[in-house]
Amino acid sequence: MQKKFSRVIVLVMKNKRFAIAYNPQIEHSSQVKIKLNSILSSFAVNVETLDIDNLKSGYDFVFVIGGDGTILKCARFYSKFSTPVFGVNLGRLGFLSQSSEAELEKSVQSIISGNFVIEDRLMLQYENSLALNDFVIKGSTTGRTSRFTLKINNKSVCDYLADGIIISTPTGSTAYGLSAGGPVIYPALNAIVVVPICPHTLTARPLVIPDDEIISISSNSGNKKYVISADGQEYFETCSDIIIKKSQYSAKLALLNDADFYSILRDKLHWGISPARISK
């Protein structure tokens, strides 16, 4: 019975439309794209290749070759079409990726066999912009601290004198927010993290709030201009109040069945490993 079920999944996956999105700016990505295309062709599936600067919809599953930045860009784009993406890491850390080049054939076999899950990841929205990791708000004057007034659901929370504020998803909690002293949040939790960057007071601590809260950041010193970045890839300037909330879209990350968040923490961030072991 199990064999019949597995065969049905394989047949269904073979009838899907696949795409390979790659970043030509990353060294070796073209070679990996060719290798992945060849592996997928051996399964007789329908596959098309896309440059990440020319993404388009119409696919059932997308392989993404590159680092975390490449995966973030593709995940944001395909979230609007509910298309799952699967990361093949060529970057330094590859926290969002599920496969390396060396594991490529095995990973494709698992995908075609249906041995994967699709995990919905919370995304944030500022006006028409989406973020899978975080929105970062800083003053427009480089090298100077700024004042930020934080409100949640239109209720005053606190004023910060800081280099900036990070509004992060659980997925982004292991990115800039972690470097700024924020907590690690399990990626499936429905939460948002607010992390001040280098605040000038010891009482300013990170906040973890429900994902249905609406966050407002403004200046209490007149028409202060702020710079906002989405996943460190899109930038905006504004003098108006900044409203950030949960997006109606969620990123669809394809994860292999043996994927484990805690082992990723250990392998990628050397979590809980003594310096002596890391050096070896």
Side-chain angles (χ1 to χ4, degrees), residues 51-97:
D51 183 315
I52 63 162
D53 291 325
N54 295 286
L55 298 174
K56 60 181 182 178
S57 61
Y59 305 101
D60 301 299
F61 194 96
V62 178
F63 288 90
V64 182
I65 300 172
D68 282 343
T70 306
I71 298 172
L72 286 169
K73 182 172 184 177
C74 291
R76 288 198 308 270
F77 179 86
Y78 285 108
S79 68
K80 296 181 179 180
F81 309 101
S82 297
T83 304
V85 299
F86 180 86
V88 179
N89 181 44
L90 293 183
R92 294 184 301 275
L93 184 60
F95 204 87
L96 294 175
S97 59

Side-chain angles (χ1 to χ4, degrees), residues 230-249:
D231 288 342
Q233 296 178 336
E234 298 177 354
Y235 292 84
F236 317 91
E237 285 191 353
T238 183
C239 292
S240 304
D241 290 0
I242 299 165
I243 308 297
I244 295 174
K245 60 184 179 180
K246 176 182 177 180
S247 171
Q248 64 176 307
Y249 303 109

Side-chain angles (χ1 to χ4, degrees), residues 98-110:
Q98 281 286 291
S99 177
S100 64
E101 181 185 358
E103 302 165 331
L104 204 50
E105 191 163 353
K106 179 182 177 182
S107 297
V108 171
Q109 175 98 39
S110 295

Side-chain angles (χ1 to χ4, degrees), residues 114-129:
N115 295 324
F116 68 96
V117 295
I118 298 172
E119 192 168 280
D120 287 331
R121 294 290 183 91
L122 168 72
M123 299 180 73
L124 300 174
Q125 180 172 341
Y126 162 69
E127 295 186 346
N128 294 320
S129 179

Side-chain angles (χ1 to χ4, degrees), residues 131-228:
L132 173 54
N133 262 359
D134 51 41
F135 283 107
V136 178
I137 301 98
K138 293 185 176 182
S140 60
T141 304
T142 305
R144 298 194 63 179
T145 58
S146 297
R147 294 189 179 276
F148 305 88
T149 296
L150 173 67
K151 293 182 179 180
I152 297 177
N153 291 340
N154 210 30
K155 295 179 180 179
S156 181
V157 177
C158 62
D159 292 332
Y160 294 112
L161 178 62
D163 287 354
I165 297 180
I166 303 167
I167 311 298
S168 169
T169 66
T171 299
S173 69
T174 51
Y176 194 1
L178 181 62
S179 299
V184 173
I185 306 294
Y186 191 81
L189 291 180
N190 299 321
I192 299 174
V193 189
V194 181
V195 184
I197 305 171
C198 299
H200 282 216
T201 171
L202 293 176
T203 59
R205 300 296 182 185
L207 292 173
V208 180
I209 62 175
D211 68 351
D212 58 355
E213 308 279 68
I214 298 177
I215 298 167
S216 172
I217 296 171
S218 59
S219 170
N220 58 8
S221 57
N223 292 325
K224 176 71 176 180
K225 183 180 288 186
Y226 289 123
V227 176
I228 309 159

Side-chain angles (χ1 to χ4, degrees), residues 12-53:
V12 169
M13 289 303 295
K14 282 187 176 182
N15 290 328
K16 299 291 186 182
R17 290 194 65 201
F18 289 84
I20 300 172
Y22 79 109
N23 186 349
Q25 303 302 318
I26 295 180
E27 185 179 359
H28 196 53
S29 63
S30 294
Q31 293 92 318
V32 176
K33 171 200 67 176
I34 294 170
K35 180 179 179 179
L36 177 55
N37 202 328
S38 175
I39 295 172
L40 286 168
S41 296
S42 70
F43 285 96
V45 299
N46 184 2
V47 60
E48 188 173 347
T49 302
L50 305 171
D51 183 315
I52 63 162
D53 291 325

